[in-house]
Structure formats: C-alpha cells, structure tokens
Amino acid sequence: MRRTDPPGHGPVRFGPAGAGDGLPVLDALRDVLARAARTGDEEPAGGGTAIREAACGYWTRRGLPVDADRVAAAPGAPALLLALTAALGGDVLVPRPCAAWWAPYARLLGRPVFHVATPAECGGVPDPYALLETVRRIRAEGGDPKLLVLSVADDPTGTVAPPELLHACAEAAAAEGLHLVSDETWRDTVFSPPGTVPLSPAEMLPDRVTVVTDLAGALLPGGWPAAVARFEAGERGARLHARVLDVLTALGASVAAPVAAAARYALAEPAPVTDRAATAVRLHGCLATALHATVVAAGALARPPRAGRQLYADLEPLRPALTAHGVGDAQELEDFLTARLGHPVPGGHRFGDELGALRVRLTTGALLGANGGERAECLTAPAPLELPHVQRALTQVKSVLEDLRDDAQRWEQPR
C-alpha cells in the first residue's frame, strides 16, 4: 500500500508551532518555578516520584486511576511519542489530518506512517471502516501495523469525537491488535457544548491504551515543556513503561527541575490554576466561535470547533479567486494567508492532508493582541470580542476572506 504521508513540501524544521494560549504566565506558576530554580537539582528520566504522583491524582480525578510506577514524565509530548514509537515497533497509523508533530517522529525512526480518513463529524479519530481497510491493505502488502495515534479533542480541527464513534474506532483497533496512543493534550480545553466531558479510549480498552497529555494544553505555558504518559496496568504495561524509560534515558529527555516543580503544582489543580484554566477556555472558546462564524460567512468550510485554540478551514469554495492569485495548493495558500494576515497560517499539508487541498489551520491566539498588555486585557474583559484589538484582528481575517469570496463570485461561470 502506498504510504500517504506528504512528500516533504516544506521541511519539518519549518513546521507549525503549537496552538499556544498567548496569555501571560500565571503568577502562582511563576513563583513555584522561581523557587525551584534556586537549586541545581535534576529530575530523573521519566520523572521523579512527586511529579508522577501528581499525575496519578490528575488522572484519578478524570476517572482513570493509575499507580505512579505506570507514569512517565518527559519534556513535552513529542519526546513521549518518540519513545513509545521506538518501544512498540511496527508501522504507525494516524488520522488525516492530525497534529503536525505526530508523523515526523515515526519517520525519524524509519517507521512507515499511514494516514486514515476521518469521518465527517470530527477529526482526531479515524473512521472505523477506513481503519479496518487500511490495516488490511498494509498487511496484504507485507506491512506490520502496530500503533494507532488518535486524539479525542483534536488539533488541528478543534473538534471532539462523539463517544459512539470513539467506541467503534477502539473496537476496530482492538480487533486488529493495534496499540493506541491517546493524545489528550486538549481534553481540558473543551468549551462547547458546555459541560461536555471527552471520553478517553483508556476507559474502553484499559489494557491496550497509553494516554499522553502535554501540559501546554491547559496547565502550563507552551515554553515550559512537560508532559506525562499513563501506561496500562499488568505485565505488558510494565514492559512498555520500562522500554519507554530506556529510550528517554538514552535521549537525556528529562523535565527540567524548575519546570517539573511547576508541573507538579499545576497537576494538583489548586484554585489559581483551575480558575485561570477555566477563564482561558472561555476566552478561546469565544474567539474560536467568532472565528468560525467569520470563516463560514466568507464561503469557506469548517467544522464548528469544540475545544482547544484552533480551527481547520477548507477554502476549496474560494479556489477560483485563489487561482487568480497564483494559489493552487496548501503551501501556496499558507504563504498567501501568512503574508496577508501577518501571522503564521500553516497549510493542511503540515497536518498530513493532501498538498492539493486548500486547507489551513487558524488559531485564536492570533486574535489576542500584539503585546502582553492587550493579551492580559482579554483575560479580564467581560466581552473580549468588543475589545478594539480583537475586533481589528477579526476584521482583518474577514476582509481577506470576503475579498476572496467576492472575487470567486464575480468569476464564477454563468449557468
């Protein structure tokens, strides 16, 4: 079967950054980190006891109890995924589209990566029938599919997988003997519908799922890399945990001690952390909803975002106008919108989509303002959409897209 990872139109080192929250660092977190920075202590590979026990409490509060000897910490989720991919072996399957950082780590290890189509209602989780067909075709051609990476709250689409779809996907993966890595970085950023709680595949397949959570999703600034992984109970989980620790040790992939202290504090979820997280979720949810309305009103397509700080837009309806501007693929669309909006707008090829598809990821962080003062103002404003700098940013997006829509309508062939 032909591998479906994109052919390197734009090197990995120029790939998109994560969807950071763009907000000032919480004072309580800064204080914890500053106190820990006074010592020169080191964290062991996989994390010390304190951060692993804090992660146990975090997952227990979410209905996923775990022992500390089944937890590993690393300087960011990419290090954990690299270690897991190395430890598990075999070919890797990912949804299309998927987080930009998933596939490069498999390629770095020389592992084939196969993209599986997602259903119409959400991203992050492959269509169960497409998954079964892809596995069958890989094996028929001599491949060895072993690992499926998915996310219930997704980057880049900002969608949340319905429980029934997740159940069907998990059952299909289990039937084919796949191990699942569930990236739950954005689990705590769900804003719509209110009160929605994402379901983890670890609740369905407790002996076949490793959960990875990057704390940059909801708890820590993106520049303080820390992530935790939850391994299944039993002998198989113990072996996988040990192999992952071996890889992390070989890489020297330890969380910096001051960041580990901040991570322990954040994972315990004291009131300052949960209050800030809730405020940030409401803010980015408000901005994402407004951004979605702007994109759709201009004639583009996008699933309604439900979590995170991102929106995945399909500009195929605007292709006639984009063609007139010399835009024919996702790389050219990325260049075009980045130049006009003044901030990075990565094309869909960065997320495993076809190069010829006119898709991009938009982020809400770009609407928060150009400096720390404007971004801080967004946190306290009762109506952030009424702030002048937010209105200007949204108006700029609206103007660029509506100009394309109007051009496309003028050039549309008469029926």
Side-chain angles (χ1 to χ4, degrees):
M1 179 179 178
R2 185 177 63 87
R3 285 171 57 182
T4 57
D5 43 325
H9 193 100
V12 170
R13 64 181 177 273
F14 297 126
D21 72 358
L23 299 171
V25 177
L26 181 66
D27 288 343
L29 284 174
R30 187 167 53 236
D31 292 344
V32 171
L33 184 136
R35 288 195 298 271
R38 295 170 186 164
T39 71
D41 296 340
E42 295 182 6
E43 284 280 305
T49 301
I51 189 172
R52 289 185 288 111
E53 289 181 343
C56 291
Y58 169 87
W59 275 310
T60 296
R61 290 189 292 275
R62 286 154 180 79
L64 294 172
V66 63
D67 294 331
D69 64 357
R70 292 294 188 276
V71 173
L80 288 170
L81 184 58
L82 175 65
L84 282 162
T85 305
L88 287 163
D91 301 345
V92 180
L93 296 101
V94 296
R96 165 169 280 164
C98 68
W101 55 272
W102 287 0
Y105 291 93
R107 295 193 198 103
L108 184 65
L109 294 167
R111 302 285 166 71
V113 179
F114 298 91
H115 290 265
V116 186
T118 53
E121 59 264 43
C122 71
V125 175
D127 178 87
Y129 298 104
L131 175 62
L132 291 171
E133 176 62 15
T134 301
V135 170
R136 185 193 66 78
R137 292 176 63 190
I138 294 171
R139 288 184 176 143
E141 297 184 8
D144 183 24
K146 284 191 175 179
L147 173 61
L148 169 64
V149 188
L150 53 76
S151 58
V152 293
D154 182 47
D155 174 22
T157 66
T159 58
V160 177
E164 60 275 12
L165 172 63
L166 190 60
H167 270 291
C169 180
E171 288 175 357
E176 296 299 331
L178 302 178
H179 187 90
L180 278 69
V181 171
S182 177
D183 177 7
E184 300 186 6
T185 295
W186 302 103
R187 175 187 179 119
D188 296 328
T189 65
V190 176
F191 53 79
S192 177
T196 298
V197 178
L199 190 63
S200 171
E203 299 175 57
M204 309 169 196
L205 300 174
D207 61 345
R208 197 173 284 276
V209 178
T210 303
V211 176
V212 172
T213 299
D214 197 309
L215 304 191
L219 298 178
L220 286 183
W224 298 7
V228 287
R230 175 193 182 274
F231 296 80
E232 61 271 27
E235 183 59 29
R236 184 163 57 181
R239 290 196 302 269
L240 179 58
H241 179 259
R243 291 198 297 270
V244 165
L245 291 185
D246 285 342
V247 177
L248 293 176
T249 300
L251 294 173
S254 298
V255 183
V259 175
R264 292 195 301 268
Y265 177 78
L267 284 165
E269 298 184 289
V273 170
T274 55
D275 290 348
R276 162 57 77 84
T279 300
V281 167
R282 287 194 298 271
L283 170 61
H284 285 286
C286 176
L287 296 175
T289 301
L291 187 59
H292 177 259
T294 299
V295 167
V296 172
L301 306 172
R303 298 181 180 104
R306 305 297 188 198
R309 309 161 194 143
Q310 54 273 338
L311 173 77
Y312 201 59
D314 185 346
L315 274 63
E316 182 62 33
L318 307 179
R319 185 179 284 274
L322 287 166
T323 299
H325 287 283
V327 175
D329 64 27
Q331 180 63 57
E332 292 165 350
L333 180 60
E334 174 182 306
D335 296 340
F336 177 84
L337 291 179
T338 295
R340 280 156 180 76
L341 296 179
H343 59 79
V345 183
H349 63 299
R350 307 288 188 183
F351 308 99
D353 238 330
E354 297 287 354
L355 179 62
L358 295 178
R359 298 182 185 123
V360 292
R361 186 191 70 178
L362 301 169
T363 60
T364 54
L367 307 177
L368 292 172
N371 55 61
E374 290 180 344
R375 292 190 286 270
E377 190 177 5
C378 290
L379 273 173
T380 57
L385 294 178
E386 296 179 5
L387 293 173
H389 62 273
V390 174
Q391 289 184 343
R392 285 195 299 271
L394 276 171
T395 298
Q396 186 177 22
V397 176
K398 179 180 180 181
S399 176
V400 170
L401 294 181
E402 288 189 347
D403 284 349
L404 291 172
R405 178 199 62 191
D406 294 344
D407 288 345
Q409 289 174 346
R410 281 197 297 272
W411 296 329
E412 189 177 53
Q413 292 296 325
R415 296 184 185 276

